[in-house]
Amino acid sequence: MNFTISTTEGRARRGQLTLAHGVVETPVFMPVGTQATVKGLTPQMVREAGAQIILSNTYHLALRPGDEIIAEQGGLHRFMAWDKPILTDSGGYQVFSLADIRNINDSGVKFKSHIDGTVLDLTPERAVKIQENLGSDIAMVLDECPAADASDNVRREAVRRSIAWAERCKKAHTREDQVQFAITQGGLDVALRKECADALSAFDFPGYALGGFSVGESPEAMHAVLPECADALPFEKPRYLMGVGRPEDLLAGIASGIDMFDCVMPTRNGRNASAFTDSGMLHLRNAVHKRDSGPIESGCPCYCCSNFSRSYIHHLFRSKEMLGPILLSLHNIAYYLRLMERARTAIEEGRFALFHQECLARWHSDT
Amino acid sequence: MNFTISTTEGRARRGQLTLAHGVVETPVFMPVGTQATVKGLTPQMVREAGAQIILSNTYHLALRPGDEIIAEQGGLHRFMAWDKPILTDSGGYQVFSLADIRNINDSGVKFKSHIDGTVLDLTPERAVKIQENLGSDIAMVLDECPAADASDNVRREAVRRSIAWAERCKKAHTREDQVQFAITQGGLDVALRKECADALSAFDFPGYALGGFSVGESPEAMHAVLPECADALPFEKPRYLMGVGRPEDLLAGIASGIDMFDCVMPTRNGRNASAFTDSGMLHLRNAVHKRDSGPIESGCPCYCCSNFSRSYIHHLFRSKEMLGPILLSLHNIAYYLRLMERARTAIEEGRFALFHQECLARWHSDT
C-alpha cells in the first residue's frame, strides 16, 4: 500500500491510495456491497458509474455463503466479478446494528445468526481470518461500536476493548496483499477519541478509521467533532469515516480531513424511489413527475439520466417494475461518485470551501 | 414493411423482416416488455443479449401510464429508450387471461382495471388508436381469445367476432410507419382455423398471427395442429405464434413454418431462479450449486455466464439479492435469442431438422 497527499486546502486533502487491485483517488466514496453485490446493480454498472473501490461485509459473508466457500471460489473479487479494490468491514458495526442478537466480552462477540440462529463466534482473530479468506484489499480490525446514547462507562469500555482487539488483529494478520486499518471509538467525546487514536497510532497501522458515527447522534453533533477527531489521526495515513452518510455529511467529512466514506443511502434511497440531485431529493413516486420529460438531473452523465425521463421512472415505480430501483440506485451511486470527483477537483484548484458552500446552498434551496 | 424468405427447409423458413425501426432476422424471439420494460433488464442489456425486437402490451400501457402520456413523451420507443422494432399486442389475450374482470360483446371488451377498478372500454378502434399512440412498428388487431376448454359455440363465436374486429381494425388504422397483423383463432379445430385464416387473408394484412395457443391445451396437442394452422396462413407473409413458449415449442413452431414468437418464460423463470440450458433447466436455489464454480452454461457468451459462477448466483438467490433475478433473466433471454440464431443458421445450412432433434435429445437427457 502507498498513500500520498498531493494537495490540501485547510483540512481537506487530495490524495492517492495504491492498493493490491488498483489506485484510488481520494477523497473517495465506496458503494456498499454487503452480500457481495451492490444491491440492484451489475459490477459493470458500478464500474461505469465511476466506482474505484467498494465495501463488503464480514459478518454477512461469513454467515452466507461462508468465507471458506468464497476462498474456494477464488476470493471475493473473483466471486463477485469485481476486479478493483475492495474494503471489508470487520463485523464491529453489527455489535451496534444487531445489538439484540449478540453477546460481547473481552474474547470477542457471539452473534446468533439473523438467518438461521446458528452462532457466529467473532473474535478478533476470526475477523482477521474471514477477511483474509475474502481477500479484500483493506481489512478492518474488529472493534466494539456502541450506540450514541451509551453511558460513559460503556463508551470507555468499548474504547479499551477496541484497542486491545486492534492489537490482536494486527498480530493475527498474515496476508501481504492486504492492509489492515484500525478503528477509533469514543463517540462524541473528543478527549476519549484522542486517547483511542493515540493508543492505536502506537501500533502504526497503514490506515485509520473513525467508527461509531451515524449511530443515533444528530448530524450537527457529528459535524461539530469531526475536525478534532480527524486531527487526532496520523496526518500521513488514509482516514476513513465509517458508514457516513448524506452528501452534506461527506462534504463535512472532507472539510474535516477525511479521505474515505461508505454508506448504503444511495442504493437504499434508490430502491425507495428517492433520487439525489444538486437541487435536493426527488421522490419519483410523486404525481408531479407523471408527465415530466426531463431526466432525474440535467447534465448528469449516468446511464439513467442519459436515457430516461422522470415520467418513465415514475411509471416504473408506480408499476412496481424492478427497473425503477435499478435505475435510481445507479443514478444515486453515480451522483455520490461524481460529487466526490467534483470535490477532488475543487481541492486541487483550491476552491473546495466555495464548492462546499455552493452545494449546501443548492441542496437546501428547495427549487 | 418488407418480408423476404431466403431459404426454406421443409416448412421451416429463414426470412428477413424490415420494419420502421430496423431489420429483423427470422425466425425471431421477441422478449416481453409488458409495462414498457423487459422485467429486470435495462434496454442496453436486452440489446447486448441480442434482441432485435421486443413486445409490449396495449392493455397494461393504456391503463398505466396511459397511451396519451406515452405519445406526449415521444412514443414508446423514446419512453423506454428502445430504438429497435417493437410489436404491441392488442389486449385480445387479456380477454382470456383477465376473464374475471371483463365483459365482451360485438362492440368490444370492457375491462375493469386490475389496478384501480376503472373501466377500459377496448373496442377494435380504441385498440388501434392506443397502438398508434404507442407508435409500435407492428400493431396487432383486437381479437377474442377463448380458453382451450371453451365450447364449440364459444370458439366459433370468437372466430366470427375476431374476423369482424380485424376488418374494423384495418379500417381504423392510419399510421403509415406502423403495420397491422391479423390474428386467427379457432383453438385446436383445424377446419375452423382454416376458415378464419381464409377470411382474414381476404383483407390482405401484411402479417398473420396464430392466437389462442398456450391457453390451457397440452403442448403435444398444440404441436400436432401447428403445421396445418401455419399452412393455412399466406406463405409470403410473416407468421407469428403468440405467447409461445418453451424452447421445444419454439423449435416445433419453426418446424411448422412460424417466423415470430414471444413468451414471458425467460424472464419469469429467471426471476424464480430457473435457468435454461442446452442440458435442460437448472434450479439455482438448489444446494447442489453451492460450490459449483462453473457458469450457468459453458460456452454461453452472455454477461452472466462470462462473469459469474453457479455458486455466486446460488448465493444471490439464497440472499434474496436483486442481482440474482437480473442475471438469470439476462441469461435466459440470451439463451432464447441464441437458440433462434442457431436455428436460423441451421435452416440456412439445411440441417434444421437435425438441429431440432439434437436439441430435444439434450434437453431431455437429464445430464
Side-chain angles (χ1 to χ4, degrees), chain A residues 96-110:
Chain A
F96 160 71
S97 66
L98 302 175
D100 293 347
I101 58 168
R102 54 85 178 160
N103 267 304
I104 193 164
N105 62 34
D106 279 353
S107 86
V109 203
K110 279 196 171 59

Side-chain angles (χ1 to χ4, degrees), chain A residues 205-257:
Chain A
F205 281 92
Y208 289 87
L210 299 176
F213 283 110
S214 270
V215 290
E217 79 284 10
S218 74
E220 294 69 31
M222 174 178 74
H223 292 193
V225 301
L226 272 185
E228 285 179 279
C229 291
D231 283 350
L233 305 177
F235 178 84
E236 73 287 356
K237 304 282 179 72
R239 298 161 169 175
Y240 164 29
L241 178 56
M242 300 181 79
V244 173
R246 302 168 304 161
E248 45 265 60
D249 301 323
L250 268 58
L251 295 193
I254 293 174
S256 305

